[in-house]
Amino acid sequence: MTSAGASVVRTRAGAVRGRREDGLVVFRGIPFAEPPVGDARFAAPRPVTAWDGTRDAFAFGPPPPQESGFQGRTGVIDAPTGDDWLTVNVWTPDPDPAARRPVMVWIYGGAYKLGHSGSPGYDARRIARDGDLVVVTLNYRLGVEGFARIDGAPANRGLLDQVAALEWVRENIAAFGGDPGRVTVFGESAGAGSVASLLAMPSAAGLFGRAIAQSMPGPFFSDDLARDLAAAIAAEAGLRPTAADLSSVDPRRLPAVGEALGPKMREFEDRWGMVAHTLTAFSPVVDGEVLPTAPWQALAAGSARDVELIVGHTRNEYRLFAALGGQLGTITDEQATAALRTFGPGPGPGMGLGPGSGFGADGERAYRAAFPDASPEELYEWVHSDAVFRMPSLRLAEAQIAGGGRAHVYELAWPAPAYGGALGACHGLDIPLLFGTFAADLGLMLFAGVGSSPEAEAVSSRFRTAWTAFATTGDPGWPAYDTERRPTQVFDTDSAVTPYPHETSRRLWEHHDFGALPLLG
């Protein structure tokens, strides 16, 4: 049922009313699962209870409880409150069940501890309108609630939330004008790590046929490592790492417990390795059940051979984090040495045994020999970018090919215009370019004082068109990757397809075995 300003769609749980906005119909805050509180705390998501009448879907649901960092950049400060964290939002050109448009499902990033689908930077109107398709964004549990490996609760609850949202899409999206048989999942940073996890999860099989992983982070935790991290987090509150103990802390106060560990993580370097030098104590856990194996091993074994994949990264991934940490222009040779020894490539998933460890020194020597003219700051940025984002992403594509599937590889090289281009093509730049949200969230920082420009709009359009074409046809506009020619789409002022642009780094890492990071010692 439609009117001049509203449209009503009936989902399996009940009717929802959306609003007409800029040539689209938008539905916000539709619950796809019961609030995960009370008896449902730390449990797998439960089906939402049906409602009578028509529910207004005009406002985004509240964000899941999360740490305070970067809230101003992720649009969380002014978000609604409440327990209905598990909601989806839908942008559709027309909620006509006969339309059968392609569907794109966005999974936000934020180090697995931050994020909200209602953030202004994730306004999907330009993707839906330019691509003539349906876009869904979703919330999932974060931090301790979603990813801490605690006794008495399933692992990877945040990933299980994503599966539940995708099941909601399969069951309901036709009523919004979407085709449940043509679903593409796409996500950035922790959202890309989530996409990679979904490709490896039996419970997600068949829920989507295409996937896009933007700047996939490398850390995945072994069960032992995740349990050790959870014990350290719970100890900050004088608790045991159990669902019973942690349930005694209000969900909105619990993120502060995880946040308290942050400044102390380096004290655990001998146990956690490179994880002690990262920004988060949360990652997907290879628990053997929800996530049976790490994505690289799963894809190489063929878990996603029937899923078409785009995977890529930005050219200067780590520069954003260096800027946020006040490190630009300050890196010493000693700091570069420590980073090279901690993050340099080794023979297996135990990278980052720390300064002075065996292959840590080898990693330093290898980088210095490969980049003899690089400054300490360049070495520092390069090894962080390679270890955390670029090489894990490339190797995911190679694993997909090894397993009999197809992958397309890209790099975003166009530099952010703010600060005279000093941030380069940094982590997160792809978000405002993809969504066209230059004046929201990260866009405020990366386009500060500059805003949209004809050049930015051109790069944004090319980026967005590639994604929507892939969701519609499976062809983003450049050749699939192969391990001989290595064709890579480089998005820049003058975009081009070239051989993979970081061949030196690729060779440094070609014998490193990405996988679940172990508990050391």
Side-chain angles (χ1 to χ4, degrees):
M1 180 176 64
T2 62
S3 66
S7 182
V8 174
V9 167
R10 177 163 293 279
T11 72
R12 294 205 175 181
V16 291
R17 182 183 291 108
R19 283 179 172 157
R20 294 192 171 274
E21 302 174 9
D22 299 328
L24 302 169
V25 184
V26 184
F27 300 80
R28 298 180 173 92
I30 305 173
F32 65 84
E34 282 291 285
V37 295
D39 292 343
R41 185 97 180 266
F42 299 114
R46 300 177 179 178
V48 65
T49 301
W51 59 85
D52 296 325
T54 300
R55 180 179 181 134
D56 286 340
F58 298 158
F60 292 112
Q66 57 194 271
E67 296 183 13
S68 58
F70 306 128
Q71 282 191 343
R73 296 186 181 93
T74 55
V76 172
I77 286 178
D78 298 323
T81 59
D83 296 331
D84 272 323
W85 316 327
L86 303 183
T87 58
V88 294
N89 319 294
V90 182
W91 286 258
T92 178
D94 183 15
D96 178 2
R100 311 289 285 188
R101 287 179 169 88
V103 180
M104 298 187 72
V105 180
W106 170 252
I107 303 175
Y108 54 74
Y112 305 102
K113 62 181 184 178
L114 301 166
H116 176 216
S117 64
S119 294
Y122 304 144
D123 187 321
R125 71 184 68 188
R126 294 189 69 174
I127 299 175
R129 190 169 56 230
D130 293 359
D132 191 33
L133 42 70
V134 178
V135 181
V136 178
T137 66
L138 61 92
N139 280 353
Y140 60 97
R141 281 173 283 181
L142 301 163
V144 178
E145 297 286 339
F147 289 93
R149 186 67 170 107
I150 58 178
D151 291 336
N156 300 305
R157 296 170 298 280
L159 298 179
L160 293 175
D161 293 344
Q162 296 167 18
V163 171
L166 288 167
E167 290 173 340
W168 182 93
V169 169
R170 179 185 60 192
E171 295 168 359
N172 295 284
I173 206 63
F176 294 84
D179 184 349
R182 284 196 294 168
V183 174
T184 299
V185 293
F186 66 129
E188 184 268 349
S189 196
S194 297
V195 168
S197 299
L198 293 168
L199 290 166
M201 290 170 60
S203 61
L207 293 176
F208 56 93
R210 295 178 181 131
I212 305 172
Q214 304 169 210
S215 299
M216 171 197 173
F220 278 70
F221 295 164
S222 65
D223 203 55
D224 287 343
L225 174 59
R227 289 183 182 277
D228 205 61
L229 282 154
I233 292 169
E236 290 295 319
L239 301 172
R240 298 171 300 169
T242 66
D245 272 25
L246 293 170
S247 290
S248 68
V249 182
D250 185 278
R252 290 161 189 80
R253 303 180 71 88
L254 189 57
V257 177
E259 194 168 10
L261 179 65
K264 305 175 185 178
M265 285 179 62
R266 293 200 178 190
E267 299 173 12
F268 296 85
E269 180 186 45
D270 61 332
R271 298 177 65 78
W272 301 344
M274 68 167 284
V275 176
H277 294 265
T278 64
L279 299 174
T280 181
F282 306 102
S283 279
V285 181
V286 181
D287 66 304
E289 184 176 349
V290 175
L291 184 58
T293 57
W296 303 274
Q297 287 72 40
L299 267 62
S303 70
R305 66 166 57 97
D306 296 327
V307 179
E308 296 169 314
L309 175 66
I310 291 177
V311 62
H313 50 71
T314 69
R315 177 156 293 179
N316 308 106
E317 287 280 3
Y318 198 74
R319 205 171 293 181
L320 173 70
F321 304 104
L324 292 173
Q327 293 179 310
L328 287 182
T330 71
I331 300 300
T332 65
D333 196 59
E334 290 75 16
Q335 288 174 306
T337 294
L340 292 169
R341 294 188 173 199
T342 299
F343 289 93
M351 78 164 84
L353 296 183
S357 65
F359 63 79
D362 291 341
E364 180 200 354
R365 285 192 292 269
Y367 260 85
R368 290 190 183 276
F371 303 102
D373 299 324
S375 68
E377 184 154 12
E378 288 170 332
L379 289 169
Y380 186 88
E381 177 192 321
W382 227 242
V383 73
H384 277 98
S385 294
D386 282 344
V388 182
F389 296 110
R390 293 195 306 212
M391 295 304 108
S393 296
L394 180 66
R395 292 290 287 278
L396 190 73
E398 293 177 347
Q400 174 71 340
I401 295 165
R406 188 176 72 168
H408 298 263
V409 173
Y410 77 91
E411 178 179 73
L412 174 60
W414 186 78
Y419 312 110
L423 294 176
C426 64
H427 187 74
L429 176 61
D430 47 326
I431 296 174
L433 288 174
L434 175 60
F435 285 86
T437 49
F438 303 105
D441 301 345
L442 264 180
L444 285 171
M445 175 183 179
L446 302 181
F447 293 81
V450 180
S452 173
S453 67
E455 183 176 304
E457 289 287 358
V459 176
S460 174
S461 179
R462 284 195 294 272
F463 207 76
R464 190 163 49 252
T465 297
W467 267 221
T468 58
F470 177 73
T472 302
T473 68
D475 181 3
W478 72 90
Y481 193 78
D482 67 74
T483 55
E484 293 183 4
R485 298 178 299 117
R486 305 187 184 279
T488 303
Q489 174 67 59
V490 178
F491 290 98
D492 205 338
T493 304
D494 296 312
S495 298
V497 177
T498 71
Y500 184 68
H502 303 290
E503 179 64 11
T504 301
S505 291
R506 187 193 69 79
R507 288 186 176 276
L508 284 173
W509 288 85
E510 64 182 338
H511 298 301
H512 180 83
D513 180 18
F514 284 97
L517 295 171
L519 177 66
L520 306 178

